[in-house]
Amino acid sequence: MSVTLTVNGEERTYDGDPRAPLLDVLRDHLRLTGAKAVCREGFCGACTVHVDGEPMVSCLIPVGSLAGRAVTTIEGISGGGAQLNAVQRALLEHDVVQCGMCFPGMVMTISACLDRNPAPDREALKAELSGNLCRCTGYERILDAVLSISGQEVMAQ
Ligand code: FES
Ligand code: FES
């Protein structure tokens, strides 16, 4: 079966099993390896992408359900190339990234959150990130970095 969808602004066609997870199509077929394959069960958030602007875990989405939909991956979040978006810049400037495995998914979830609400408070951000697991950072510095985008200076708690 053939499925045509838009990925990072380009129309792409996948010929294969429509039950294949979007994550595998991105990584193995389109060679977009930014979304990470960690739990593959919807628990960790490392594979998060945007589907029509909403953050979703790509390991649980059959590609056949995405005909005509628009997918954005971490590779396309800032329009492609080497440009970084505000979330990526804040995380780097605050020296938050450790092993980095969770960060593609974190950036996708946070970016969608800020699109809806440019100045969320700490509790709202925590709730948004409840589906993105990080074993390294303890989360507080991630929250500080993101809050700084809207000029909120908050000491890590
Ligand atoms: S790999 Fe998809 S949620 Fe963990
Ligand atoms: S930085 Fe290592 S899992 Fe988040």
Side-chain angles (χ1 to χ4, degrees):
M1 179 181 163
S2 176
V3 180
T4 300
L5 62 160
T6 302
V7 179
N8 297 335
E10 286 182 32
E11 196 168 275
R12 308 297 295 260
T13 297
Y14 169 73
D15 294 307
D17 186 347
R19 296 168 300 178
L22 172 62
L23 177 63
D24 290 348
V25 174
L26 292 172
R27 291 180 58 85
D28 301 336
H29 178 70
L30 299 179
R31 303 294 177 201
L32 294 169
T33 55
K36 299 303 177 211
V38 180
C39 72
R40 291 183 172 276
E41 294 183 348
F43 293 124
C44 75
C47 65
T48 302
V49 300
H50 294 178
V51 177
D52 294 335
E54 291 299 318
M56 294 186 183
V57 286
S58 59
C59 64
L60 295 185
I61 308 172
V63 68
S65 70
L66 295 172
R69 313 277 300 270
V71 172
T72 304
T73 69
I74 189 71
E75 289 89 346
I77 191 68
S78 61
Q83 276 194 322
L84 302 179
N85 77 357
V87 176
Q88 291 169 307
R89 281 198 302 276
L91 294 170
L92 285 175
E93 285 165 6
H94 284 73
D95 203 16
V96 181
V97 182
Q98 294 189 30
C99 84
M101 189 60 104
C102 69
F103 272 91
M106 288 273 183
V107 168
M108 299 308 287
T109 298
I110 296 167
S111 298
C113 166
L114 296 185
D115 285 345
R116 289 193 301 274
N117 175 9
D121 64 21
R122 194 174 196 89
E123 291 309 310
L125 265 180
K126 271 189 193 173
E128 290 282 348
L129 285 177
S130 61
N132 289 84
L133 305 185
C134 175
R135 64 185 178 183
C136 305
T137 65
Y139 299 98
E140 298 300 332
R141 290 173 61 212
I142 295 174
L143 299 174
D144 286 341
V146 177
L147 290 170
S148 76
I149 297 171
S150 56
Q152 300 177 67
E153 295 296 335
V154 181
M155 298 296 290
Q157 298 165 4

